[in-house]
Structure formats: C-alpha cells, structure tokens
Amino acid sequence: MQTEVADVLRKVGSKIESYGLNTWQLRTLSAIKKCRTAQLGGHIDACDQCGNLTISYNSCRNRHCPKCQGNKREDWIEARSTELLPVPYFHLVFTLPDSINALAIHSPKLVYDTLFEATWETIQTFGKTKEMQMGMIAVLHTWGQQLSLHPHLHCIVPGGGIAKNGQWQNSRTDGKFLFPVKALSKVFRAKYCAKLKEKEPIKYEQIRQELWQKPWIVFAKKPFGSPKSVVEYLGRYTHKIAISNRRIKTIDNENVTFEYKDYRVAGVKKQMTLTHQEFIRRFSLHILPKRFVKIRHYGFLSSTWKREKLKLLQEKLEVKVLEKREKKLFLPKCPCCKTGNLHRIAVFDQRGPPAWYLGGSQSSIPYKN
C-alpha cells in the first residue's frame, strides 16, 4: 500500500500544534490529512452494468495536496494548448541564492513576488534592446529534492516577440538561442537587489554583502522540439508540489524515509530519513501564502493581451487554432466488474452513509473530484 504525506500527519496527531507552524500551514496540513477520508464526506455511486454500490470519499482540492493535482493539471494544459504559436520556445530557470532563505521563511510573499517582478523585468530589458514585446509563463517552485528551501522560477519564454509593426520577430534567425545567460544573471541580480532595497531597506542591508558575493544562477535549457512538446513539458511543472507520495518509502513511529535525486552526482537516486517533525517542518516551508498566485503570465502571453490580440497574431502566423473541447462528464469505472460506469446516486457528510445503505456493498474507493 502506498505511504502518503497524510500518513505522517496522522502519526503525529495533535503534537503538530507544538511544531511552531502558523495557522495557515496548520489549516493546509489538516486538509491534506482529511483528503479522501470520511471526515470530508462523500457519495455513493452505482454501476450501470452490475449494480454494485461503491462509496467514494471527497478530495480536499488543496493545491499543496499530493492527491489533488491531476485534474487541475490537465485542465490547465488544455487551456494553454489553444494559445501556442509556431515559434521556438525556451525554458529558463531563475534561482535565488540561499542567503535569502531566512527572509523567505519570514516574508515569503515579499521574496516570491519580487522574484516574479525581477525576472520579468530582466526578460523585458533584453527584449527592448531588440525593440520587441516579449512574453513569459512563470511557475514558482520553492523546494529542492531534499525538501530544503530553494526558491526558483521555471519560465517558458517564446524565442522572440512582437515588433512595433505588430509582426512576429525571432530573437535570432536560427531559433537556437535566446539571450546570453551570464548577462541575464547579472541583470537579474541587479533588478532583484534594487527592488528588495526599495521594499525592505533594513533587511536588504543586513544581507547585502552575501547577495553580491556570488554570481546568481540563470539556467537555460535547449529549445523545445515543437510547440506541442512545450505543453507536455509544462504539465510536469505547473501543478507539482514539494514531494509526491510515490517518493515516500517508509513511515514508522518516529521517522520518514523518502527518495531523492542527488544532482551533484548525475541525479543518482538516494534515500533520506527524517524525523516526523523535521519532515513536516520541511514540507511546510513550501506551503505558499494564502491566495498567492504561483503561475503567472506576462507580456503577449498575459490574459489581457491574449483576449485582444492573440487570435490576430495566430492568423498572421497561419496557426491552426485548436478549439477548446467541451468538458465531458467524468464517469469512473466500476471497481467490481471493471466495465460499467459509476453514477452518483447519493451524497453524505462526515456523519457517514445514509441508513438505507447499511447492509449493502461496503467497498470504498478514493474519488478524483
């Protein structure tokens, strides 16, 4: 049976209140612990073939929950697939130095908002030298493989922009290069530090020397093979969370052992063991502030620009636009006969199934709603 983050939370129980977490973190962890259990209520489904009755418990739908990302990811990818252009796309990663981690723990919104702002201004700066309007989709990740704090932005940047005449213009004719990463790194650091100094001058002065001591890292991957591969790639990043349940190997009464990739030795898989308290502390570092937007669109990929001008640009580039498909009603397969579809016939709250159900089939399955 697959071990889960929720299992660690259940092992800890009420002791979690002494771990020094804030109320928003505790609320989020409580939702993850209750996900797809009787505490969130559920519904009864009937098979249209064999008549089997099945209980399905509701999901928490929290964006930090390892069990609730699948449907959100698919919906987001489908929406993006209608916006693609037949141009080169690049994947850039903008990473903050660890000297800013202490500030990120105490003021996460400040640090992460500034990361988005500085990154976009950096891309804009390079676009302006070629007199074109750039676009960018940025996804915030805050973790490393060992659940340590490691704030960075995964950015998908089309290899060009909109020229003053409204036509598409590649940043380079061969489409194999966007901007020099060393120059990007220097501009990114300058932009971020200037913004931090403006917003929090006292805190900036406390870490100023450390921020300028080492070069900042901007990583550029090879351009994508096709626009379609951009969407498939994005799916791996948009709704990721700090750790998936499949990486958790064992949980005992004191410790959690999980798998991670050591990128210092070519991504070799290793295992790490942490106490329950340390595992939860590290996991909680990646619970984003309430209502914080972790996926943002900029320039000609922003919602305002797309509403007004995207279709016109796609027509100029002779793009065959994919129409948004009407969302079909999801009917899960029956776990009993494997051929019939399940149809909801009753719902219930945390008090449990209705009295008439008692004595029927007592099978229960998690349900992705």
Side-chain angles (χ1 to χ4, degrees):
M1 188 175 176
Q2 175 65 60
T3 48
E4 302 178 347
V5 172
D7 294 328
V8 184
L9 298 171
R10 282 189 276 271
K11 287 270 188 185
V12 168
S14 60
K15 286 191 295 183
I16 197 171
E17 294 176 12
S18 65
Y19 288 178
L21 305 177
N22 63 42
T23 53
W24 179 245
Q25 290 170 329
L26 289 171
R27 280 177 61 184
T28 301
L29 295 174
S30 176
I32 293 171
K33 182 169 72 171
K34 294 175 183 175
C35 186
R36 298 183 193 173
T37 69
Q39 288 177 283
L40 292 184
H43 43 268
I44 299 171
D45 299 321
C47 176
D48 56 16
Q49 294 292 320
C50 67
N52 182 60
L53 298 181
T54 305
I55 285 182
S56 301
Y57 293 117
N58 295 332
S59 58
C60 67
R61 300 190 181 188
N62 191 287
R63 63 175 171 174
H64 301 95
C65 178
K67 292 184 284 194
C68 290
Q69 305 312 306
N71 288 353
K72 293 179 186 178
R73 183 189 301 119
E74 294 307 314
D75 291 344
W76 192 87
I77 290 172
E78 188 171 328
R80 299 292 79 75
S81 65
T82 64
E83 303 164 359
L84 291 171
L85 300 172
V87 301
Y89 284 83
F90 294 82
H91 177 200
L92 303 179
V93 184
F94 290 77
T95 303
L96 290 177
D98 56 10
S99 51
I100 210 162
N101 282 0
L103 182 58
I105 291 172
H106 293 102
S107 304
K109 188 176 187 308
L110 165 74
V111 170
Y112 301 150
D113 276 339
T114 307
L115 173 56
F116 276 104
E117 293 164 13
T119 299
W120 173 232
E121 287 192 15
T122 300
I123 295 295
Q124 276 187 306
T125 298
F126 282 81
K128 284 175 183 175
T129 62
K130 295 179 180 287
E131 297 186 325
M132 59 187 181
Q133 167 69 57
M134 301 292 293
M136 180 179 83
I137 299 174
V139 184
L140 174 67
H141 285 185
T142 61
W143 56 86
Q145 280 281 303
Q146 298 178 5
L147 289 184
S148 54
L149 195 61
H150 180 62
H152 56 285
L153 275 191
H154 289 276
C155 304
I156 303 300
V157 183
I162 312 300
K164 287 183 177 179
N165 61 6
Q167 300 295 322
W168 175 262
Q169 177 184 322
N170 278 347
S171 58
R172 285 242 312 221
T173 53
D174 59 9
K176 294 181 180 178
F177 182 81
L178 187 61
F179 303 124
V181 289
K182 286 186 179 180
L184 282 170
S185 301
K186 290 178 180 178
V187 173
F188 170 52
R189 177 172 62 181
K191 295 279 187 188
Y192 193 96
C193 290
K195 286 184 172 295
L196 188 61
K197 184 179 181 180
E198 180 185 342
K199 294 177 180 180
E200 291 286 352
I202 296 174
K203 291 177 180 177
Y204 170 74
E205 284 301 324
Q206 291 172 347
I207 58 175
R208 179 177 59 83
Q209 190 173 351
E210 293 176 75
L211 292 175
W212 290 91
Q213 213 166 31
K214 298 176 184 176
W216 288 26
I217 298 172
V218 175
F219 180 70
K221 294 193 175 184
K222 290 180 181 179
F224 294 98
S226 68
K228 185 183 176 184
S229 61
V230 176
V231 173
E232 293 170 355
Y233 189 83
L234 274 171
R236 288 188 250 161
Y237 283 92
T238 51
H239 293 81
K240 251 188 175 182
I241 60 165
I243 187 169
S244 61
N245 284 330
R246 61 180 174 75
R247 285 177 55 196
I248 300 175
K249 299 305 174 186
T250 59
I251 302 170
D252 59 28
N253 290 331
E254 295 181 1
N255 301 311
V256 184
T257 299
F258 63 91
E259 189 177 75
Y260 71 95
K261 290 179 182 177
D262 189 343
Y263 289 112
R264 291 173 298 182
V265 284
V268 172
K269 288 185 178 180
K270 297 182 179 180
Q271 291 193 351
M272 171 172 281
T273 299
L274 301 174
T275 63
H276 293 167
Q277 182 171 352
E278 178 60 12
F279 178 84
I280 291 171
R281 185 193 73 82
R282 292 195 190 191
F283 184 87
S284 299
L285 288 174
H286 313 294
I287 294 175
L288 296 174
K290 191 175 183 178
R291 287 191 280 272
F292 186 86
V293 181
K294 62 171 279 190
I295 306 173
R296 304 187 187 183
H297 301 70
Y298 295 91
F300 66 81
L301 293 176
S302 66
S303 56
T304 305
W305 201 97
K306 284 186 293 193
R307 269 198 308 270
E308 298 174 356
K309 303 174 183 176
L310 178 65
K311 284 188 178 179
L312 182 62
L313 179 59
Q314 288 177 324
E315 286 172 11
K316 287 180 180 178
L317 294 172
E318 298 180 355
V319 176
K320 187 178 180 181
V321 180
L322 295 173
E323 293 296 326
K324 287 186 180 179
R325 290 178 296 177
E326 190 176 330
K327 199 167 183 181
K328 294 180 180 178
L329 178 66
F330 173 69
L331 295 174
K333 288 293 180 185
C334 175
C336 180
C337 67
K338 312 293 185 187
T339 56
N341 295 317
L342 296 178
H343 297 263
R344 190 175 302 185
I345 60 171
V347 296
F348 56 87
D349 58 21
Q350 64 269 27
R351 290 173 294 183
W356 61 260
Y357 176 79
L358 299 177
S361 167
Q362 299 297 307
S363 62
S364 64
I365 61 168
Y367 180 71
K368 297 181 181 179
N369 61 347

